[in-house]
Amino acid sequence: DGGHLFHSAVGVWIADSGHNIIIHNHIHHLYYTGISVGWTWGYGKSNATHNIVEYNHIHDIGRGLLSDMGGIYTLGISPGTRLRFNLIHDVEAYDYGGWGIYPDEGSTHILIENNIVYRTKTGGFHQHYGRENLVRNNVFAFGRLGQIQRTRVEEHLSFIFERNLVYWDRGPLLHGNWTQPQARFDHNCYWREGGKRFDFAGRTLAQWQALGQDTHSIVADPGFAAPHEGDFSLKPDSPA
């Protein structure tokens, strides 16, 4: 229950520093980001490398007061940094930018895996711009205005998105700038609740696959036990 005097206070903040461990924390009811890692914009030299952010429970942040935040926020070149096994939910921005996991400017070579992110305003995952981040084996659910976002298109590979389960009931699957994918999607499971139709940034699945994306992915109900209650365990007959 923080941020009353300084609204943009962050739960845990690592600036230009490496080899830190943030593990098994409960961070909640703040008006801004839960955990922030890195303090170098773009691709300049950064010491924020090899940071470990694991097994944290982050929820009820933003609370409709501020904008441009994430449950976990990163900045700059960060080889060896890993964000894993975190539970993030209920991120609510005043205007734009209420994301679950948010690699911002220059975030590069970060491993993002085995996280559960749900009930966010603008999506479970957003990469502003960066290079070759690996996003795998995550659950992203119930983004209100979209699910997965990328903002800046660059010539290099932005990120790899594979073996993720994306489950939602409103808004687009992909939002932001997808004029050129410059990311690699495959082996994912997508499902819009009720089997409602959706597209891939204005493309059909066939058109999206023609670009080399999601060749082995499926559109199927993953069979979560009780997703609206936050239980994303899979039933025995899950196609995932």
Side-chain angles (χ1 to χ4, degrees), residues 50-119:
H50 299 88
N51 288 301
I52 298 173
V53 182
E54 296 182 342
Y55 296 100
N56 300 286
H57 185 190
I58 304 165
H59 64 93
D60 290 285
I61 63 167
R63 306 174 74 182
L65 184 68
L66 296 178
S67 303
D68 197 28
M69 72 193 69
I72 300 175
Y73 172 96
T74 66
L75 198 64
I77 298 175
S78 306
T81 291
R82 62 184 198 235
L83 320 176
R84 307 192 306 166
F85 302 104
N86 299 286
L87 175 62
I88 303 169
H89 59 93
D90 294 290
V91 181
E92 183 65 28
Y94 167 72
D95 186 11
Y96 73 98
W99 295 290
I101 298 176
Y102 179 11
D104 199 4
E105 300 189 34
S107 293
T108 294
H109 294 150
I110 299 173
L111 173 61
I112 302 168
E113 69 175 357
N114 296 320
N115 302 284
I116 295 176
V117 183
Y118 66 98
R119 282 203 306 261

Side-chain angles (χ1 to χ4, degrees), residues 29-40:
H29 288 93
L30 297 167
Y31 297 106
Y32 199 49
T33 287
I35 297 173
S36 183
V37 181
W39 200 241
T40 301

